[in-house]
Amino acid sequence: MTNSNNIYNLLKLQLSHSSQMTYHNCARKFEFTKLFNKGVSLQTVPMGAGSALHAGVQSYLTDYNIDKAIYNLSLDYPAEVYADFPVPTRSLEACVATLEDFINSGILYDYELVHIENFGPGREIFFEIHFPKLATHIPFSYIGYIDLLLKNKSTGEILVADIKTHRDNQVTEKAYKFSQQCTPYSLVIGQALGQDTIEQLNILYISMYIDIYKPETKLFYFTKSQADITEWATEIRNDILTIDDRMFNNKPFPRVIDAFPCRTCAFFDHCDERDTKFLKENLDFFFPSRDDGKKHGTPTFSFNLEIS
């Protein structure tokens, strides 16, 4: 298709689990953040603490060096942000205590990182999925990161692990069971392991309650079937086609149904304006271009998903 009506001046569009969630929660906010590329994307202490614990866990599972793991956690911790906006429940000390509790518990003793040929230890695996058969005006793709690719030392079972950090010490499987975030990982794992297809995907959520006194890590196991993978593919296909249709046929992106989140939305004062061209030309006066702080670079695995 041609893109003569490309008001947003985009040559391609990368979606992710988080941007897809934004689209479903409020398509109008998706338009502001993803298509206009506006909004302040400041790092917060909870975000930075989560990233630091990711770094610590990944480091420990690479070479089982506790001191090195704590050092890598400390390097990633947002100390400058904490100095301006302290959140004691997610302090550096609380993160270190949580990492030490995770290590000392031996909760992942039966597992080790999978070594991926031409890549190395299976951690922080960046991937991109393309959809060449979808009839869109510009190319769309889906990107993501796999936190860990693990193997059971005894059985050889392969599973993907996703690290979740939080302050809910009553968290249960309900928080993760029906999440689709890890479902497309099955497509990536097939390529990483040199397999054409993965009939089912074994998922492990590493749920880490951050606390300086009583940290706790829980494991939640789930299996995604071929039906789940097909459901995800159908959902992302439908989202891509409707986003493309709205972008290039001057159709409005609807606001959130429940107006409660509008109270704190940075775009509230501009949401009445439906002149896309006007917004494109004037939002620079109010918002900087977004920067998510992560330099994606070249995907480790990039492939086509043949859906139409």
Side-chain angles (χ1 to χ4, degrees), residues 90-126:
R90 287 181 169 88
S91 65
L92 175 59
E93 292 79 9
C95 290
V96 170
T98 304
L99 177 64
E100 290 178 332
D101 177 77
F102 161 79
I103 293 172
N104 293 331
S105 71
I107 200 166
L108 285 183
Y109 177 80
D110 292 331
Y111 294 92
E112 62 185 1
L113 285 175
V114 172
H115 184 86
I116 301 174
E117 187 175 357
N118 299 322
F119 175 70
R123 64 179 197 180
E124 201 69 8
I125 304 169
F126 177 35

Side-chain angles (χ1 to χ4, degrees), residues 25-222:
N25 290 332
C26 181
R28 181 64 162 159
K29 186 173 184 179
F30 172 89
E31 181 183 21
F32 278 111
T33 57
K34 196 66 180 176
L35 305 185
F36 290 127
N37 193 36
K38 296 301 175 185
V40 180
S41 297
L42 297 176
Q43 187 184 53
T44 65
V45 171
M47 289 170 51
S51 296
L53 272 167
H54 275 68
V57 171
Q58 290 171 338
S59 174
Y60 179 73
L61 292 177
T62 300
D63 51 27
Y64 300 100
N65 185 315
I66 296 178
D67 292 337
K68 185 177 179 181
I70 294 174
Y71 174 74
N72 284 322
L73 180 154
S74 301
L75 286 180
D76 267 38
Y77 187 80
E80 294 183 1
V81 179
Y82 187 91
D84 294 330
F85 305 98
V87 183
T89 54
R90 287 181 169 88
S91 65
L92 175 59
E93 292 79 9
C95 290
V96 170
T98 304
L99 177 64
E100 290 178 332
D101 177 77
F102 161 79
I103 293 172
N104 293 331
S105 71
I107 200 166
L108 285 183
Y109 177 80
D110 292 331
Y111 294 92
E112 62 185 1
L113 285 175
V114 172
H115 184 86
I116 301 174
E117 187 175 357
N118 299 322
F119 175 70
R123 64 179 197 180
E124 201 69 8
I125 304 169
F126 177 35
F127 67 87
E128 184 169 20
I129 303 172
H130 302 274
F131 308 90
K133 288 190 175 182
L134 289 183
T136 54
H137 294 79
I138 58 173
F140 281 71
S141 64
Y142 183 96
I143 62 172
Y145 286 83
I146 299 175
D147 289 342
L148 301 165
L149 181 60
L150 301 175
K151 179 175 69 173
N152 187 295
K153 298 175 185 176
S154 301
T155 67
E157 173 199 26
I158 302 293
L159 51 77
V160 297
D162 199 63
I163 303 168
K164 299 295 186 184
T165 60
H166 54 82
R167 282 284 301 164
D168 179 8
N169 62 357
Q170 302 297 319
V171 69
T172 69
E173 66 172 14
K174 293 180 179 179
Y176 311 112
K177 183 174 182 178
F178 295 117
S179 171
Q180 287 280 44
Q181 180 178 356
C182 295
T183 304
Y185 296 178
S186 61
L187 306 172
V188 185
I189 300 311
Q191 190 178 77
L193 300 179
Q195 301 176 13
D196 293 333
T197 59
I198 297 291
E199 294 301 324
Q200 68 177 31
L201 177 68
N202 299 313
I203 299 171
L204 174 66
Y205 283 97
I206 303 172
S207 180
M208 306 183 76
Y209 170 65
I210 302 175
D211 193 76
I212 192 170
Y213 300 112
K214 294 183 178 181
E216 183 180 17
T217 298
K218 297 179 182 179
L219 301 182
F220 297 99
Y221 295 86
F222 303 104

